[in-house]
Amino acid sequence: MTRRRAILALGGLTAGPALAGVTWLGCILAHLPPLDLTAAQARSTIVLDRAGTLLRPFATADGRWRLPLEPDAVDPRFLAMLTAYEDRRFRAHPGVDAMALLRAAGQWLAAGRIVSGASTLSMQVARLVEPRGERSLTAKLRQIARAIALERRLGKDGVLRLYLALAPYGGPVEGLRAASLAYFGREPARLTLAEAALLVALPQAPEGRRPDRFPEAARRARDRVLDIAAARGVVPAADATAAKAEPVPHSRKPFPMLGPHAAETAVAQEPGRAVHRLTLDARLQARLEPLVAERAAALGPGLSAAALVIDNATGEVRAQIGSAGYFDATRSGAIDMTAAVRSPGSALKPFVYAMAFESGLAHPETLIEDRPSRFGASYAPENFDLTFQGTVTARRALQLSLNVPAVELMEAVGPARFLARLRSAGASILLPRDSAPGLPVALGGLGITLTDLARLYAGLARGGEVPVLRRRLDGPAAGAALPRIAEPVAAWYVADVLRGTPPPESALPNRLAYKTGTSYGYRDAWAVGFDRRYTVAVWLGRPDGAGVPGLVGRTAAAPLLFDAVARLGGDPEPVPRPRDALVATTSALPPPLRHLRRDAGPTDRLRIAYPPDGARIDLGAAEGLPAGLALKALGGTLPLIWLVGGLPVTESDRRQAEWQPDGAGFVRISVLDATGASDSVMVRIE
């Protein structure tokens, strides 16, 4: 086809019958197969935080970065410059600009070469959706037909949405959002005028104008966009001049990579989902990730670290740092250490005390002996510093993390019962192979994940009710019945005790309830702290499990914990005290609770005969009040003290008593005799 004939063919789309010509063109090419937009609509999978901030994008199956973007999330100046530069009549034409076609044809005829193009944004999208290598009039006519079809099918906003997603920006970067992040490290709504102009210019020659390879060519193209925008009144001339003074980027920036382990897990769980909304807080995540990496690096090579922040009220995970650097192979950064099973050291001691408190074995002010002791034939635990404190309160023993008192309470509570409680609260516990639960469990002789440990501590902050962690913003809410790690009074006793634990150097005392742990062989250092609002758990160690001399929870993990808590904002708030908690000095306690005695006990073992453990008791109602519950014990040494939820409710010189419940629900009933022996059951009052 000659140039003059081409001019006449294109001219048929202009003047009076322009719209008729477009319709005629559509009819002529109606035999084209329907346009398949499946590939064009493919987007990168993205993971967002609770506020919609991008945490991490994933490349498409063919390795491209193509992020979803709505026009209303773009700087309006970009859109104004785009249409002024590429397609001034975008909102008026039906997909093809007949006037621009005629102008381009006339210039071609007069100059003997292509002077200016006539492609509309719709035609460019058609070329991106259905790429073809040939450059001919037939190909151009096909492109025009596709552009008209696209506009009819998607409308102007749909076409613009496709352009914003598919426009090439060099290499595997496609679409405005990916380009804005790759070249400027920010979302398209926050572009400067100079940045917006550069991103308008790049798609015309994405490889030849890539600023990371050809910065001077990129600068010239940007300045031309600014000149045209100023000439057409889109931006003030002074602003365009000032924008030209900005440098162009000389390298690409990495895409956001916040919460990489959490994002990876979310995508693996639902691989077909395009957008994942997590409960993470991107700002908090961004504050904690460098802190964790910095502390691990300061402790030496090969060490990693992990941290977890839980909203106690909802169970939402607000921050999850799985390692000291996702891409740091020297620290096995790709391994999510929040899910790794490790030995907790002394970090489980608070739960031993909680069971002892709720069973009536002890109170925070009960005196307990920290002296050289032997349990069984050969087990003789020692304290971390190889010293003994003598007679101390249970409060002081837990705050100093003394080993002998913890083992003594574990012996009274029972290792099997203790492990059953942890598991019933939802924690996955791993014991050494072919090992039965024994007293060393109190000192960390088992395996648990940082996630499960954090959940258990969040349970203490919630009055003993362990939350089900919520990681997806649109995930299911927790059910009505949640597992318990302790009764409310016992949980508050532990929280109150831990709030008085001596803090690390330079930290203020009596602000955060926390506990540390160091595993055998200095393999793991732990610290978990909580207040009314949040629970924060941190771990440091080598992912391969090798020991690290000097890696101690109090000196390595506790400072990291307190710095992480400081980044939450606001002062820690104490856990509210239950109204029936017993606050008393040692001398004011009931006699059996004043001192824990291992060697005392009746020949006839004390046990609760009624109500039986696990019973469901319907007391009925008398004048609107529930009837009294009969309590009966066998064995033991009189007098007996009956406790409900760790609080004494009645003392009797007989083995029978009565207690008046104040409502329905689960309660733990315990009995304590004159020697300090005890028994307890859990029942449900209906």
Side-chain angles (χ1 to χ4, degrees):
M1 181 180 289
T2 66
R3 188 183 308 152
R4 183 173 297 277
R5 288 179 180 176
I7 296 295
L8 293 174
L10 295 175
L13 301 178
T14 64
L19 291 178
V22 169
T23 304
W24 170 79
L25 179 62
C27 294
I28 293 298
L29 300 177
H31 66 280
L32 290 176
L35 190 60
D36 185 4
L37 296 180
T38 304
Q41 290 173 339
R43 300 287 183 271
S44 295
T45 297
I46 60 172
V47 183
L48 309 177
D49 85 331
R50 61 188 303 103
T53 301
L54 182 63
L55 291 171
R56 180 183 178 184
F58 290 80
T60 61
D62 56 356
R64 299 179 182 277
W65 297 99
R66 187 190 290 170
L67 279 61
L69 178 65
E70 293 295 325
D72 58 4
V74 179
D75 186 333
R77 294 178 302 180
F78 172 87
L79 297 176
M81 286 191 291
L82 175 67
T83 53
Y85 186 70
E86 293 280 9
D87 191 352
R88 297 176 66 184
R89 286 174 286 276
F90 173 67
R91 291 291 174 181
H93 62 64
V96 55
D97 188 343
M99 294 177 62
L101 280 174
L102 187 60
R103 183 202 68 236
Q107 291 174 339
W108 176 31
L109 183 63
R113 59 183 177 84
I114 296 176
V115 176
S116 65
S119 289
T120 62
L121 287 175
S122 305
M123 292 169 63
Q124 293 180 45
V125 170
R127 185 173 64 249
L128 293 171
V129 168
E130 191 179 57
R132 290 180 173 271
E134 73 271 19
R135 297 175 62 87
S136 64
L137 181 59
T138 300
K140 179 64 70 174
L141 292 174
R142 181 187 181 102
Q143 188 183 111
I144 291 172
R146 289 302 198 198
I148 295 171
L150 279 172
E151 292 235 357
R152 288 176 177 175
R153 178 173 173 181
L154 303 177
K156 292 292 183 182
D157 288 341
V159 169
L160 183 58
R161 190 177 292 109
L162 273 181
Y163 180 86
L164 295 177
L166 300 178
Y169 283 92
V173 179
E174 293 186 356
L176 177 65
R177 190 178 186 188
S180 182
L181 292 168
Y183 292 121
F184 304 112
R186 66 185 65 175
E187 293 284 358
R190 299 171 50 230
L191 294 169
T192 67
L193 182 61
E195 292 167 349
L198 177 60
L199 296 181
V200 167
L202 291 186
Q204 285 194 341
E207 295 302 327
R209 296 175 178 176
R210 282 181 59 170
D212 56 332
R213 293 184 179 178
F214 307 104
E216 186 56 30
R219 185 192 62 77
R220 289 195 300 269
R222 179 201 66 183
D223 292 353
R224 175 171 171 75
V225 170
L226 290 169
D227 288 338
I228 291 176
R232 293 175 178 173
V234 174
V235 298
D239 291 353
T241 301
K244 291 180 182 181
E246 285 190 25
V248 297
H250 285 66
S251 62
R252 274 180 48 186
K253 297 181 181 295
F255 285 105
M257 187 62 79
L258 288 172
H261 299 93
E264 208 166 64
T265 300
V267 172
Q269 289 173 343
E270 296 188 43
R273 193 168 184 167
V275 179
H276 300 260
R277 291 289 300 272
L278 303 187
T279 59
L280 299 184
D281 182 330
R283 290 180 297 178
L284 178 61
Q285 189 79 23
R287 289 195 292 264
L288 293 183
E289 285 187 6
L291 172 67
V292 169
E294 173 190 319
R295 293 304 173 84
L299 290 172
L303 271 81
S304 190
L308 200 71
V309 179
I310 299 173
D311 184 318
N312 293 331
T314 63
E316 293 177 345
V317 176
R318 292 298 184 90
Q320 177 184 338
I321 297 88
S323 70
Y326 184 79
F327 294 109
D328 191 343
T330 65
R331 302 179 190 276
S332 302
I335 299 176
D336 183 2
M337 295 307 298
T338 66
V341 177
R342 310 291 291 213
S343 169
S346 296
L348 285 180
K349 286 178 182 176
F351 305 102
V352 179
Y353 280 78
M355 288 188 68
F357 292 156
E358 73 177 30
S359 300
L361 291 168
H363 179 275
E365 307 309 325
T366 297
L367 296 178
I368 192 167
E369 299 298 325
D370 180 41
R371 304 181 187 279
S373 302
R374 187 175 298 277
F375 298 84
S378 59
Y379 186 46
E382 295 179 326
N383 289 321
F384 186 80
D385 60 2
L386 303 180
T387 65
F388 294 93
Q389 300 294 316
T391 302
V392 294
T393 62
R395 178 184 300 274
R396 189 66 175 160
L398 180 54
Q399 290 173 347
L400 296 179
S401 196
L402 302 178
N403 287 341
V404 173
V407 173
E408 190 167 339
L409 289 174
M410 176 62 84
E411 184 181 49
V413 167
R417 183 173 160 228
F418 177 71
L419 288 181
R421 176 68 65 86
L422 297 183
R423 285 171 170 151
S424 69
S428 297
I429 302 298
L430 184 64
L431 292 174
R433 185 176 299 176
D434 302 326
S435 172
L439 296 179
V441 164
L443 308 183
L446 51 75
I448 191 172
T449 66
L450 181 69
T451 298
D452 277 344
L453 190 62
R455 286 184 60 245
L456 296 178
Y457 274 86
L460 293 177
R462 291 163 52 100
E465 188 181 67
V466 178
V468 175
L469 294 192
R470 190 163 176 248
R471 299 178 182 274
R472 292 184 181 273
L473 205 61
D474 55 357
L482 294 175
R484 300 196 70 87
I485 189 61
E487 294 303 305
V489 171
W492 180 80
Y493 284 156
V494 172
D496 185 59
V497 168
L498 294 181
R499 196 161 179 257
T501 301
E505 292 183 9
S506 74
L508 296 175
N510 301 312
R511 292 168 65 83
L512 182 70
Y514 85 104
K515 184 72 182 72
T516 61
T518 305
S519 67
Y520 178 77
Y522 302 101
R523 292 178 172 86
D524 309 274
W526 307 74
V528 189
F530 62 93
D531 70 347
R532 184 187 63 81
R533 299 176 303 157
Y534 299 107
T535 295
V536 182
V538 303
W539 168 90
L540 297 103
R542 289 181 59 96
D544 60 8
V548 181
L551 186 68
V552 177
R554 176 165 177 75
T555 58
L560 173 57
L561 169 67
F562 274 71
D563 283 346
V565 170
R567 282 159 173 75
L568 296 177
D571 293 331
E573 301 177 13
V575 175
R577 185 178 80 184
R579 62 181 178 82
D580 50 356
L582 177 61
V583 178
T585 62
T586 303
S587 60
L589 293 174
L593 280 177
R594 293 175 188 170
H595 202 294
L596 186 70
R597 297 169 57 190
R598 285 183 60 203
D599 55 350
T603 23
D604 188 7
R605 184 177 67 85
L606 176 67
R607 63 187 185 279
I608 295 176
Y610 187 85
D613 190 35
R616 298 165 66 101
I617 302 171
D618 185 359
L619 296 180
E623 297 181 358
L625 296 174
L629 174 63
L631 308 173
K632 183 177 180 180
L634 297 176
T637 302
L638 297 176
L640 303 181
I641 297 177
W642 292 90
L643 306 96
V644 176
L647 183 69
V649 294
T650 183
E651 183 173 351
S652 175
D653 290 331
R654 303 169 56 203
R655 289 184 171 81
Q656 295 184 8
E658 184 176 285
W659 165 61
Q660 184 78 41
D662 57 3
F666 287 96
V667 294
R668 179 167 295 280
I669 300 173
S670 306
V671 65
L672 192 68
D673 75 358
T675 69
S678 70
D679 189 26
S680 68
V681 296
M682 175 72 78
V683 299
R684 180 173 179 173
I685 306 296
E686 298 180 340

